[in-house]
Amino acid sequence: MSEQQGQEPPIQIIVIPVTAFQQNCSVIFDRETKAGAVIDPGGDVDRILAALEEHGVKVEKIVLTHGHIDHVGGAADLAERLSVPVLGPHEADRPLLERVEQQAREFGVADVRSVEPDTWLSEGDDLTMAGRSFQILHCPGHAPGHLVFFDPELRFAISGDVLFAGSVGRTDLPGGNHETLITSIRDKMLPLGDDVTFLPGHGPASTIGHERRTNPYLR
């Protein structure tokens, strides 16, 4: 995330790796008002709630990048406990969300409930988080309804499982397609600009430029 002349950016982001999948549940909030959103609460809801309380975050919504269990496993529980709506992903991931409880049984994960979004999101829709306006990019390949969220002013994106530091999302899961994923990255993410910092669904943050130069999947 870019900072102008050494000033702190107007938003703060907390990353909470959750469950055995070590998925990056992200909390994004305004530094002054503390209003914010939780992105991809995959589980460990008590840990997420503890982090929210520690930082005084006033959660306004839960936002989902896509429908895999490691990203949505705690969404229904957290939404109920916070009394906030769930937004996203794209409706193309409806079949994945409908299979969340079945996925939980297959992976031996307990206390997972299916989640029905209050609002499906599409490319071109407006999304406000932490008082900021984020562009929505539909980036299928890892999942049919995968979305990426981009703040053009702060030069910051939340990429979910599309692009990682040194890798890309796996495509051997239901609805995955490698060629579609690479097309999404080349047509939607790389044009955002080399200076853009992105936070993926697993592992450390990186920049578009670094991945363009070094990521073996993009050569």
Side-chain angles (χ1 to χ4, degrees):
M1 196 184 325
S2 68
E3 300 179 21
Q4 296 181 352
Q5 299 178 348
Q7 295 180 341
E8 286 187 326
I11 58 174
Q12 184 171 343
I13 298 171
I14 307 165
V15 178
I16 311 163
V18 294
T19 76
F21 298 106
Q22 289 295 284
Q23 184 269 322
N24 290 336
C25 171
S26 305
V27 180
I28 177 172
F29 61 97
D30 184 284
R31 289 182 183 274
E32 293 185 3
T33 68
K34 302 295 184 180
V38 179
I39 302 167
D40 289 354
D44 293 337
V45 170
D46 287 339
R47 287 187 56 220
I48 298 171
L49 289 169
L52 296 174
E53 183 176 0
E54 177 184 351
H55 291 271
V57 181
K58 304 168 187 174
V59 177
E60 297 177 325
K61 63 195 71 174
I62 293 168
V63 180
L64 305 177
T65 61
H66 65 290
H68 289 150
I69 184 173
D70 55 329
H71 290 253
V72 307
D77 186 15
L78 187 64
E80 186 176 276
R81 292 168 74 171
L82 293 175
S83 297
V84 296
V86 177
L87 282 62
H90 188 283
E91 193 167 6
D93 267 9
R94 181 188 287 275
L96 293 180
L97 292 178
E98 291 174 345
R99 291 186 64 252
V100 163
E101 292 183 8
Q102 179 182 338
Q103 276 190 315
R105 290 191 294 270
E106 292 171 355
F107 284 106
V109 180
D111 301 322
V112 170
R113 292 158 49 200
S114 295
V115 59
E116 173 74 20
D118 295 275
T119 304
W120 300 100
L121 297 175
S122 298
E123 184 164 329
D125 289 348
D126 294 323
L127 175 64
T128 301
M129 296 188 288
R132 306 286 309 174
S133 179
F134 281 77
Q135 296 177 1
I136 299 175
L137 307 175
H138 181 206
C139 297
H142 173 70
H146 200 303
L147 301 174
V148 169
F149 309 118
F150 174 55
D151 184 325
E153 183 180 353
L154 293 181
R155 313 300 294 157
F156 171 69
I158 296 166
S159 67
D161 287 0
V162 173
L163 181 63
F164 298 110
S167 189
V168 297
R170 60 188 293 183
T171 54
D172 59 341
L173 299 170
N177 182 283
H178 184 74
E179 289 185 5
T180 301
L181 177 69
I182 297 302
T183 298
S184 291
I185 294 170
R186 293 193 183 280
D187 292 352
K188 299 292 182 69
M189 291 203 66
L190 296 186
L192 297 179
D194 285 358
D195 62 322
V196 170
T197 298
F198 68 91
L199 177 63
H202 303 263
S206 185
T207 66
I208 297 292
H210 182 74
E211 298 312 310
R212 188 198 302 273
R213 293 188 301 270
T214 66
N215 193 312
Y217 292 92
L218 302 184
R219 292 176 182 170

